[in-house]
Amino acid sequence: MGNAVILGLGSMIGAGIFAAFGPAARAAGTGLLVGLAIAAVIAYCNAISSAQLAARYPESGGTYVYGRHRLGAGWGYLAGWGFVVGKIASCAAMSLTAGSYAWPQHPRPVAIAAAALLTTVNYFGVRKTAGLTRILVALTLVALAGVVVACLAGGTADVGRLSPLWSGDGLGAVHGLLQAAALLFFAFAGYARIATMGEEVRDPARTIPKAIPAALGITVVVYFLVGLSALLAVGPSRLAGAVDPLAVATGAGSLGGFTPAVRVGGALASLGVLLSLLAGVGRTALAMARERDLPNWLIAVHPRYGVPHRAELLLGGIVIAIVAVADIRGAIGFSSFAILVYYAIANASAFTLDGPQRRWLRPLTLVGAVGCVVLAFTLPATSILTGFGVLALGIVVRAAHRTPRAGRKA
């Protein structure tokens, strides 16, 4: 179970703090803490649904597999496609975040090198992945502890910065809170990495349902402490206007000497997320190829390392290509939309489960599904339109791939 929890933490801790806190502050001001709570509640519902489904279907592929079993092949494909394209965007965002923290003047070369290096690490299997992720998570937590200490003990912390609790009035304020939650949800999607590796963990029916809530709970506590400390130190306006909000918050007081460690932590956190993302996406692609929803040459599993090596190499190449031209904010918005669709399907799949847990599970799945849909439609219009376009493209690709060619039997 330890490796599974570590992989989940590596996927979550870092992404929201180093990549989404600034946009969330712009959307809701101090209300980003409320948005964090909303995102955490929906993520918990999604986590319980994912855990129950993973226990019933301990196969690689996550909601792609669950949707096929519970709702039909088309819904499963939509979930799988949304996961793959959304997480490819996340991989690009994390690569660029690592580059921005490590070498702000020239982030792209660092981002490309990071994607290439971690693709190579994933090629050698989940045990090595978990081992490296364990190191990255530990270093990230040390850096975040430095953020909290510097913000609270640096002499600038002021409770008055938490008022008002959110900016705006009426529907505008509500929309801002929900958009902040949608952006911060980007950080909570890491537990899917655990569910997608059902064939590679010991006793998945017991391990996965325990590992997912454990990783999520630890992440929520870390996020809240860091977010609260940063708001107390500098307030929402400075966070919203910064490309490196935690570095700004850390450097505001007398303990600004922690700032270099925060920059190192930001790079390491992003690398930890990228490492786990690459592992999960490759395995979902494997599951889709097995069902003929993607080209069958992606089915190949390395005889020694037990990984879908062709899928991993292809994924790494695509991420490197995107990093060369990507905008990090657009990548986050598109990824959030696609993954919210993915979890809406996960909740719908879990709603159909039977058994003794049905009575308490169904209300959670309804909250999760409705929450995912609402958050998806509070994202910026560009993210929504791009998301619809890419999902529609996926449907066309599947139809074309499955259409029999002339002279060939169906």
Side-chain angles (χ1 to χ4, degrees):
M1 174 174 159
N3 283 348
V5 172
I6 290 298
L7 286 171
L9 290 176
S11 298
M12 289 184 281
I13 290 181
I17 293 176
F18 292 102
F21 262 30
R26 283 195 294 274
T30 307
L32 73 86
L33 293 177
V34 179
L36 180 65
I38 295 171
V41 169
I42 295 173
Y44 176 77
C45 295
N46 297 345
I48 296 300
S49 294
S50 297
Q52 294 298 322
L53 289 162
R56 181 74 66 91
Y57 305 105
E59 309 168 32
S60 291
T63 303
Y64 171 71
V65 172
Y66 315 148
R68 288 181 64 86
H69 282 292
R70 308 306 306 184
L71 303 175
W75 288 106
Y77 172 81
L78 186 62
W81 178 261
F83 179 88
V84 169
V85 298
K87 289 308 175 181
I88 287 174
S90 295
C91 288
M94 290 301 96
S95 297
L96 289 165
T97 301
S100 296
Y101 273 86
W103 196 6
Q105 296 80 12
H106 303 284
R108 292 193 192 277
V110 178
I112 291 171
L117 175 62
L118 296 187
T119 296
T120 302
V121 171
N122 267 310
Y123 190 91
F124 293 104
V126 69
R127 291 186 180 179
K128 291 181 177 60
T129 296
L132 181 54
T133 303
R134 189 184 301 272
I135 296 172
L136 293 174
V137 169
L139 293 174
T140 301
L141 289 175
V142 170
L144 293 178
V147 172
V148 174
V149 170
C151 289
L152 297 182
T156 63
D158 182 0
V159 177
R161 293 194 174 98
L162 298 181
S163 180
L165 188 57
W166 57 76
S167 58
D169 298 308
L171 292 178
V174 173
H175 183 272
L177 293 175
L178 293 176
Q179 186 173 103
L183 292 166
L184 289 168
F185 183 85
F186 171 78
F188 284 114
Y191 46 79
R193 306 297 78 66
I194 304 172
T196 57
M197 291 184 287
E199 296 179 11
E200 298 176 67
V201 297
R202 295 179 181 178
D203 193 8
R206 183 179 66 86
T207 299
I208 292 175
K210 292 181 178 180
I212 290 176
L216 178 62
I218 294 170
T219 301
V220 170
V221 172
V222 171
Y223 278 17
F224 183 82
L225 287 175
V226 174
L228 177 62
S229 300
L231 286 169
L232 289 171
V234 297
S237 296
R238 289 190 65 185
L239 291 180
V243 295
D244 50 354
L246 294 190
V248 168
T250 302
S254 61
L255 299 179
F258 282 91
T259 304
V262 173
R263 294 193 178 279
V264 172
L268 291 176
S270 301
L271 292 175
V273 174
L274 176 61
L275 185 64
S276 294
L277 285 173
L278 289 168
V281 177
R283 285 151 182 81
T284 298
L286 169 64
M288 295 180 73
R290 285 173 174 171
E291 299 295 337
R292 293 181 57 247
D293 284 331
L294 290 177
N296 59 11
W297 57 268
L298 294 174
I299 295 174
V301 175
H302 197 284
R304 178 177 178 183
Y305 302 120
V307 300
H309 56 289
R310 292 179 181 172
E312 293 286 357
L313 292 175
L314 176 63
L315 170 63
I318 294 173
V319 171
I320 290 171
I322 295 174
V323 164
V325 297
D327 171 75
I328 188 169
R329 293 181 182 178
I332 290 175
F334 169 72
S335 177
S336 295
F337 182 87
I339 299 307
L340 284 165
V341 171
Y342 172 89
Y343 280 112
I345 296 173
N347 281 293
S349 300
F351 183 85
T352 68
L353 290 173
D354 51 17
Q357 76 278 24
R358 176 177 178 176
R359 181 173 298 177
W360 60 264
L361 178 61
R362 285 195 164 180
L364 289 178
T365 63
L366 287 173
V367 173
V370 173
C372 286
V373 172
V374 170
L375 292 190
F377 283 94
T378 63
L379 286 164
T382 301
S383 298
I384 296 172
L385 294 174
T386 302
F388 270 120
V390 174
L391 292 178
L393 175 63
I395 295 173
V396 172
V397 168
R398 182 175 187 261
H401 180 64
R402 286 176 166 264
T403 298
R405 296 176 182 174
R408 189 183 74 180
K409 292 183 180 181

